[in-house]
Amino acid sequence: MTNAADPAVVVVTARPDPGGLTRLFAAGVPVLAVPEAQAALGALAQRAADLVLIEAGPGLDATALIRSLRLRPHLAHTSILLIADGDPAETRRRALEAGATDVVLPPLDASDLSLRGRNLIALSRAQDAVESQARTLAREVERAAAESQEREREIIRRLMLAAEFRDDQAGDHLTRVAGCVLAIADGLGLSEEEGNDIALASTMHDIGKIGVADSILHKPGPLTEPERCEMMQHALRGYRMLHDSPSRLLRLAAEIALTHHERWDGAGYPQGLKGAEIPLPGRITAVADVFDALISARVYKPGWPLERARRFLEEQSGAHFDPDCVAAFLSRWEDVVALVEERPADRAA
């Protein structure tokens, strides 16, 4: 809809006295009369009108003007009424193809023309109202989506805290894993949004360890076979905790929890998936998680030097790990080193 200072109707006519056309509208409807196409295009360059009334005549290519008006996004739905003569069927066809809303042919009836004009003004304003409502709705949907995503991220942050309560080292470990995931995702050419989602979801890869006894989780020596089987259950438990959530991010986290201990060669757990059967987020997280586990001290081992951990990934490429994920990780090695320097892992057992 036009602003109060803008004309509601622009009349394009070469008549020396356009009053016969401008008086078709009520006194409260602002009308601007212009004599030729360029003046009309200039008048409508930055603003819309509710109706453009064009009277074809010598020197005025009405169909070309209509096409030019329709090329402007802010005039895409403006009502255009053409007054023309010539062959009725051909004139109407050409005008409507050019983008006219309605066409009036001689003989002209002032009352009919006035009624058509008022109806088209009402139509234009109704379309503007619908578009305005659609824009408002789109903003509300966008705001609601942003709020929903923030709630999802808050839930994940809270669950990360729960994991940290079980393991004092978990916070820095999860931060470094997420940073490594971002590096791999970037090296693979994933979008920033995809990388951010996988990185955030990866922070919950070990959430199932909440159900593992401290005597196993913090055991300073090798695990017995029953203890090892119990530890391996954390992948399935993490999946069960998260998989039926309505949250897209939590479902992604469930997938990562379930698959980050699968191996490229099929010797992993809990499902023994092989190669591309393993979802990409799980394959990415596997590289990031093992790398950080290697460089970090645990109750049963000291942390490895970065170069030793790098060589292990290279040696296990195509066996334990997806070769593409390893290559992507190594292609961002400087970023990984910077991350570890910023959030250093404890190297002493």
Side-chain angles (χ1 to χ4, degrees), residues 8 31 51 59 72 84-85 131 134 138 141 159 177 218 228 275-276 288 338:
V31 180
L51 173 64
R72 299 181 175 183
D85 54 15
E131 289 182 359
V141 169
L159 289 171
V177 168
H218 301 299
R228 190 179 71 85

Side-chain angles (χ1 to χ4, degrees), residues 170-182:
D172 284 342
H173 168 64
L174 297 178
T175 299
R176 289 191 299 271
V177 168
C180 291
V181 165
L182 282 174

Side-chain angles (χ1 to χ4, degrees), residues 55-262:
E55 184 178 36
L60 177 60
D61 187 339
T63 55
L65 173 57
I66 293 170
R67 291 192 183 95
S68 296
L69 293 173
R70 289 301 189 210
L71 289 175
R72 299 181 175 183
H74 67 288
L75 300 175
H77 301 294
T78 295
S79 294
I80 299 177
L81 176 58
L82 175 64
I83 302 173
D85 54 15
D87 177 75
E90 180 63 17
T91 299
R92 184 177 297 277
R93 182 188 64 79
R94 291 180 58 201
L96 294 177
E97 285 180 349
T101 311
D102 195 5
V103 181
V104 177
L105 301 170
L108 299 182
D109 181 283
S111 297
D112 176 69
L113 193 58
S114 177
L115 180 60
R116 286 173 184 255
R118 289 197 298 271
N119 287 342
L120 290 176
I121 290 173
L123 174 63
S124 185
R125 290 177 176 176
Q127 289 176 324
D128 283 344
V130 169
E131 289 182 359
S132 177
Q133 186 176 18
R135 288 192 296 269
T136 299
L137 180 60
R139 287 193 296 268
E140 291 176 353
V141 169
E142 184 177 352
R143 182 171 60 251
E147 291 174 354
S148 176
Q149 289 178 359
E150 183 54 36
R151 284 194 296 271
E152 290 180 347
R153 284 167 167 75
E154 178 62 17
I155 290 170
I156 291 174
R157 285 191 288 267
R158 296 294 176 181
L159 289 171
M160 283 175 59
L161 285 174
E164 288 186 51
F165 286 144
R166 293 298 314 281
D167 184 352
D168 291 339
Q169 295 178 322
D172 284 342
H173 168 64
L174 297 178
T175 299
R176 289 191 299 271
V177 168
C180 291
V181 165
L182 282 174
I184 297 169
D186 184 56
L188 290 172
L190 302 186
S191 70
E192 182 178 356
E193 181 180 4
E194 287 177 297
N196 287 336
D197 285 350
I198 297 172
L200 181 59
S202 75
T203 62
M204 302 182 66
H205 66 277
D206 276 341
I207 193 67
K209 286 183 178 180
I210 289 176
V212 177
D214 285 347
S215 60
I216 297 175
L217 194 61
H218 301 299
K219 186 176 180 178
L223 299 179
T224 66
E225 184 61 22
E227 288 171 339
R228 190 179 71 85
C229 290
E230 173 63 19
M231 177 67 84
M232 290 170 62
Q233 290 301 309
H234 81 276
L236 189 56
R237 286 172 180 158
Y239 172 77
R240 287 173 175 168
M241 289 172 61
L242 305 171
H243 80 280
D244 58 353
S245 170
S247 163
R248 177 184 58 84
L249 282 174
L250 290 181
R251 292 195 301 273
L252 176 59
E255 180 181 74
I256 291 173
L258 182 65
T259 62
H260 73 286
H261 282 297
E262 300 289 353

Side-chain angles (χ1 to χ4, degrees), residues 20 23 29 50 62 66 72 86 167-168 174 193 211 239 243 264-265 296 302 314 320 339 344:
R23 287 194 294 270
V29 177
D50 294 320
I66 293 170
R72 299 181 175 183
D167 184 352
D168 291 339
L174 297 178
E193 181 180 4
Y239 172 77
H243 80 280
W264 186 255
D265 59 10
S296 302
E314 292 173 329
H320 190 147
L339 169 68

